[in-house]
Amino acid sequence: MTGEQHIENVVLYEVANGIATVTMNRPEYHNAQNSEMTYALDAAFRRASDDDDVKVIVLRGAGKHFSAGHDIGTPGRDIHKSFERASLWYDHVGKPGGEFLYVREQEVYLGMCRRWRELPKPMIAVVHGACIAGGLMLAWVCDLIVASDDAFFADPVVRMGIPGVEYFAHPYELNPRIAKEFLFLGERMPAQRAYQMGMVNRVVARDQLVAEAQSIAERIGKMPRMGLALTKQAINHAEDLMGKRTAMEAAFGWHHFAHAHNELVSGDKLGGYDAKAMASSQRPAVAESK
């Protein structure tokens, strides 16, 4: 099976030589993830899982950045729109108080990411430019991360009074003390430091990024499908025995307490921050750290 097909125009899908390439395609918004994109990603991953010709899945972002995170302010923000749900959670639209966000994020953030992590085929995130907040969640559900030397990672949502993104993998992707630094400061972590911390598998020059990911995917693709699936299950299970799943449950609850607290105190679930304010809030800290 070869050739490009569009699941939705916000996500591109291509299969060649046993490798499914899934590309986030909102470059004008730095691949900020609205619900349309999230459900399109889910459909693409499902398609790749169902296709016996696909051995490996590669996740990329079109344009200048991998992903600037969840959509909290573009014209395509669709938080109040209903979609055909992938889980058994009911529709969030029209629900009162904290139920609105809690139900939505059980479906499109925590639920989606957990399901993608358990997809039985190896997944490789190919990260360039920004990988921020919700972008981390997409990279972290992948089994390997290959980054360009100009890539950077950040979770600045503590500025909103929120203890990290919904898929709370920070202390598993990073040493716990480094995870605290990452969240407390909310500053950019360069790809090279992410590599030193064990969060990233390879760092290469930008012009070599796609070729490096392709080479790794091809080599993985030579392994037996069942062996890859069982190996992935074994390592994921070991992480869960170390508390990953239950830690996420607790962090998700604290995350939504923070949303409710923000709304009670300021009238805004995000503590007064929009996408532009979050982006500008990082710049002074980055300048001072150089």
Side-chain angles (χ1 to χ4, degrees), residues 236-258:
N236 284 356
H237 180 63
E239 278 192 306
D240 289 340
L241 288 175
M242 291 186 278
K244 186 173 187 177
R245 187 175 184 87
T246 52
M248 280 188 184
E249 291 286 352
F252 188 76
W254 292 321
H255 182 103
H256 282 276
F257 170 78

Side-chain angles (χ1 to χ4, degrees), residues 35 39 90:
S35 292
Y39 281 97
Y90 49 83

Side-chain angles (χ1 to χ4, degrees), residues 73-262:
T74 82
R77 191 181 189 210
D78 50 14
I79 189 171
H80 292 285
K81 184 177 177 181
S82 296
F83 287 80
E84 185 176 348
R85 291 173 299 286
S87 75
L88 294 177
W89 274 95
Y90 49 83
D91 193 0
H92 69 288
V93 173
K95 302 303 184 291
E99 186 178 15
F100 175 84
L101 273 188
Y102 188 84
V103 170
R104 178 177 186 263
E105 295 186 359
Q106 282 280 2
E107 163 83 350
V108 298
Y109 295 157
L110 186 60
M112 293 279 197
C113 285
R114 282 179 166 174
R115 187 165 64 258
W116 298 341
R117 172 184 178 249
E118 294 171 0
L119 196 156
K121 296 180 180 181
M123 298 174 65
I124 303 172
V126 182
V127 178
H128 70 287
C131 182
I132 299 174
L136 292 169
M137 294 166 53
L138 296 181
W140 285 348
V141 300
C142 294
D143 304 291
L144 304 179
I145 301 175
V146 181
S148 62
D149 54 11
D150 65 346
F152 61 90
F153 304 83
D155 187 355
V157 302
V158 174
R159 288 189 175 88
M160 298 174 171
I162 297 170
V165 291
E166 295 84 353
Y167 184 80
F168 193 84
H170 308 65
Y172 298 90
E173 296 289 340
L174 297 163
N175 175 287
R177 199 173 303 282
I178 302 302
K180 289 177 182 178
E181 175 191 341
F182 188 63
L183 286 164
F184 288 174
L185 295 177
E187 295 173 358
R188 300 177 179 184
M189 177 180 284
Q192 189 58 41
R193 188 165 193 231
Y195 171 76
Q196 292 168 350
M197 296 300 109
M199 190 174 85
V200 166
N201 295 90
R202 306 283 173 87
V203 178
V204 298
R206 177 73 168 266
D207 60 2
Q208 298 172 16
L209 181 63
V210 173
E212 178 70 8
Q214 181 76 15
S215 174
I216 292 171
E218 288 174 355
R219 280 143 52 200
I220 291 172
K222 294 176 182 177
M223 297 291 187
R225 177 173 57 237
M226 191 63 176
L228 290 169
L230 293 175
T231 301
K232 181 167 179 173
Q233 274 192 310
I235 295 173
N236 284 356
H237 180 63
E239 278 192 306
D240 289 340
L241 288 175
M242 291 186 278
K244 186 173 187 177
R245 187 175 184 87
T246 52
M248 280 188 184
E249 291 286 352
F252 188 76
W254 292 321
H255 182 103
H256 282 276
F257 170 78
H259 277 312
H261 177 72
N262 281 344

